[in-house]
Amino acid sequence: MATVDFYIWKRPTKDGRFPISVRITIDRKPSYIMTGQKLDSLEQWDAKTQRVKKSHPNSVRLNNFLLSELAKASDKVLEFKTNGQATAKEVKDGLKPIDEKLTYFSTVASQFLADQWTLGNYECYKTQKGHLKRFYAFANNGNMPFKEITVDLLQRYLIFLKQSNRFRYNDNSPVKPLSSRTIANHMITIRTIYNRAISSKLANQEDYPFGAKGKVPIKLTGSAKMGLDEYEIKKIEEIDLSKKSEIYHHARNIWLIEFYFAGMRVTDCLLLKWQDFQSGRLYYKMSKNDEHGSVKIPAKALAIIEEYKNSKGNPQNPHGLVFPFLCDLVSLDNRMEVRKKIAFTVKRLNEAMAKIMEWIGSTKNASQHKARHSFAQRAEVKEIHPKVLQKMYRHESVSTTMKYQSNFSFKKADDAIDAVLDF
């Protein structure tokens, strides 16, 4: 239950007067909004009618002002209640005035990037910094109040992103057009910063340009997910890399370990420690969602891991890592440095895997993340139950697993084509 009324503070301020506040009570928990108005005496207030008495010299004007403040609070309570359960404090926060001093988009965006850096989110920082660079090239370096980021401006920005003859920022060389998914990600970055500004009372909800019904919708299109087939994986396993540079050997081994361990992500693979292997099982925490889990060590994976056993207890490997790429870091606790080194390493590994795919005669992309797609594709062919895969992938919901696996489900469609064309 929610009520909105006036509350007169019984204790006077230093000037001897009594403040008038709007009291919002939801589920018996009150929150107070000061109106900035005061009474010279408690006798000037009529508690029954919730009005200033005529004995006050400006009673009519003051009552009109107080009624308008009460109406604002009542409307905000109704708005919050319509959108879901709200607390008195949330309603109070919703009534706070917008801070007009810090309404520039670039100001909020700079703080957003600084926070990503502080949190050690290197990939997020790098990607969204690139998104903002494009927006700044289009929109006066972001030096505009949020109310100027209108539906019209964003629609023109979408056209700017879709142009096939766009140019780089530092020269006049043409660049490849962005995909629909990448364009959506650019818009999500702007929306994220706008939402942050609204939460911080630096922008007004009424000016918000994103959404449906005459505003700018953001639709994420699915990206094609294609794994390697059994023949290609066997070729990767069997190719002789003994006369090649060491990076190719490591790239192949890490890719296969990711595949063998149910599509392990490359970040988790590079952070594998010897202590994670216990009693024939691998125990590790997934870095993406901090979910703990365990999986058996397949014989193929064990054979690869054994190749690196000389690093166990080696002074040059102070962190006890299986693979050598992060051993030179002073600490694994500095998230930003770890993520930067991982991003650099993954680039090298992906370049090496591209060459390996050339050598086995395949044109497919075999980046490190494709090991995850390859496992999912193989699991779909073998009709592994989604509940089993959910546990292996460490998805919170089985519906997430089923949606992910649907990217690799071709059998029914293939059978349908065969059935239709069987004449």
Side-chain angles (χ1 to χ4, degrees):
M1 181 176 176
T3 60
V4 181
D5 59 4
F6 292 113
Y7 179 82
I8 311 302
W9 294 86
K10 304 302 187 288
R11 179 179 295 180
T13 55
K14 290 181 179 180
D15 59 3
R17 304 172 72 200
F18 301 87
I20 306 173
S21 64
V22 174
R23 178 172 58 185
I24 301 169
T25 306
I26 298 179
D27 296 333
R28 299 183 180 180
K29 294 182 179 180
S31 192
Y32 302 88
I33 302 171
M34 304 307 294
T35 64
Q37 303 300 316
K38 298 178 182 180
L39 298 173
D40 296 323
S41 165
L42 292 176
E43 296 299 320
Q44 294 177 332
W45 182 253
D46 187 335
K48 185 175 181 180
T49 63
Q50 291 273 288
R51 296 287 187 276
V52 176
K53 294 180 180 179
K54 292 182 179 179
S55 59
H56 190 285
N58 293 310
S59 61
V60 175
R61 183 180 299 176
L62 182 53
N63 278 327
N64 288 337
F65 171 77
L66 292 176
L67 286 173
S68 69
E69 293 300 294
L70 192 71
K72 289 178 186 177
S74 299
D75 288 345
K76 187 61 68 172
V77 168
L78 181 61
E79 176 189 329
F80 273 64
K81 281 290 190 179
T82 302
N83 294 329
Q85 189 66 26
T87 66
K89 185 179 184 305
E90 287 172 336
V91 174
K92 177 182 176 180
D93 290 342
L95 285 164
K96 287 181 179 178
I98 301 300
D99 186 347
E100 298 293 344
K101 297 178 182 178
L102 296 173
T103 54
Y104 284 119
F105 178 87
S106 57
T107 302
V108 181
S110 295
Q111 185 59 54
F112 173 75
L113 288 179
D115 289 346
Q116 298 307 311
W117 183 273
T118 301
L119 292 170
N121 297 331
Y122 175 73
E123 286 295 337
C124 179
Y125 171 85
K126 181 181 176 183
T127 300
Q128 293 182 325
K129 185 177 181 180
H131 293 170
L132 290 171
K133 187 176 181 180
R134 273 199 174 91
F135 185 62
Y136 291 165
F138 169 78
N140 190 31
N141 290 319
N143 294 325
M144 57 176 63
F146 282 88
K147 62 184 178 181
E148 291 185 13
I149 302 177
T150 61
V151 171
D152 176 68
L153 182 137
L154 291 177
Q155 288 175 338
R156 286 187 284 113
Y157 182 53
L158 283 170
I159 295 172
F160 172 80
L161 293 175
K162 292 176 182 178
Q163 287 175 333
S164 60
N165 59 342
R166 277 193 325 280
F167 293 91
R168 295 188 187 277
Y169 313 109
N170 54 354
D171 57 40
N172 290 325
S173 56
V175 296
K176 183 180 178 181
L178 301 179
S179 67
S180 297
R181 179 60 183 254
T182 302
I183 289 174
N185 288 336
H186 277 66
M187 300 299 287
I188 287 172
T189 294
I190 300 172
R191 185 180 67 183
T192 299
I193 294 169
Y194 207 121
N195 286 335
R196 179 176 177 137
I198 290 174
S199 300
S200 302
K201 299 298 176 184
L202 304 177
N204 202 317
Q205 179 71 51
E206 283 70 27
D207 298 325
Y208 193 60
F210 296 99
K213 296 182 179 180
K215 296 192 176 184
V216 178
I218 299 178
K219 183 178 180 180
L220 286 174
T221 56
S223 56
K225 292 179 173 61
M226 181 186 299
L228 275 58
D229 57 35
E230 180 181 338
Y231 171 79
E232 290 163 324
I233 296 171
K234 283 184 176 179
K235 295 285 284 184
I236 290 175
E237 291 175 329
E238 296 168 356
I239 185 172
D240 183 6
L241 299 173
S242 58
K243 295 182 180 179
K244 303 294 183 181
S245 174
E246 195 176 45
I247 186 63
Y248 297 105
H249 184 71
H250 290 315
R252 185 259 302 275
N253 284 352
I254 290 172
W255 195 98
L256 289 173
I257 286 292
E258 292 160 7
F259 175 74
Y260 295 153
F261 285 122
M264 172 187 280
R265 291 180 172 85
V266 63
T267 295
D268 297 320
C269 191
L270 292 172
L271 287 169
L272 280 179
K273 296 183 177 182
W274 288 106
Q275 67 186 31
D276 297 333
F277 299 94
Q278 303 286 340
S279 305
R281 300 190 66 81
L282 168 63
Y283 298 85
Y284 77 100
K285 181 176 71 173
M286 188 179 289
S287 59
K288 184 175 183 179
N289 56 14
D290 289 336
E291 285 288 331
H292 290 268
S294 172
V295 64
K296 69 171 289 186
I297 306 174
K300 287 184 175 183
L302 183 61
I304 290 177
I305 293 166
E306 285 294 309
E307 294 182 29
Y308 295 86
K309 63 183 179 181
N310 290 336
S311 69
K312 192 186 301 185
N314 190 321
Q316 294 182 333
N317 183 15
H319 312 304
L321 298 169
V322 175
F323 296 106
F325 293 97
L326 309 181
C327 293
D328 60 340
L329 292 175
V330 175
S331 170
L332 298 181
D333 295 328
N334 188 327
R335 180 180 168 88
M336 180 57 75
E337 291 302 314
V338 170
R339 295 293 168 149
K340 284 174 67 176
K341 188 61 179 287
I342 288 175
F344 172 75
T345 301
V346 171
K347 183 178 179 180
R348 292 181 63 203
L349 295 175
N350 287 343
E351 290 171 351
M353 285 303 300
K355 292 299 295 183
I356 291 174
M357 293 303 286
E358 284 183 29
W359 295 334
I360 68 171
S362 174
T363 58
K364 282 187 183 177
N365 178 0
S367 67
Q368 294 298 316
H369 195 66
K370 290 297 181 181
R372 187 172 181 82
H373 293 172
S374 300
F375 182 89
Q377 183 168 296
R378 185 81 174 141
E380 193 65 28
V381 170
K382 293 297 182 179
E383 299 182 339
I384 307 299
H385 196 281
K387 279 285 187 181
V388 177
L389 293 174
Q390 178 195 1
K391 186 174 181 180
M392 298 173 78
Y393 295 158
R394 305 182 196 182
H395 287 158
E396 185 175 337
S397 168
V398 70
S399 62
T400 302
T401 305
M402 294 177 70
K403 184 177 180 180
Y404 182 71
Q405 287 299 124
S406 67
N407 291 285
F408 311 99
S409 181
F410 308 120
K411 188 176 186 302
K412 289 183 178 179
D414 293 347
D415 290 345
I417 290 177
D418 291 339
V420 171
L421 301 182
D422 184 21
F423 62 89

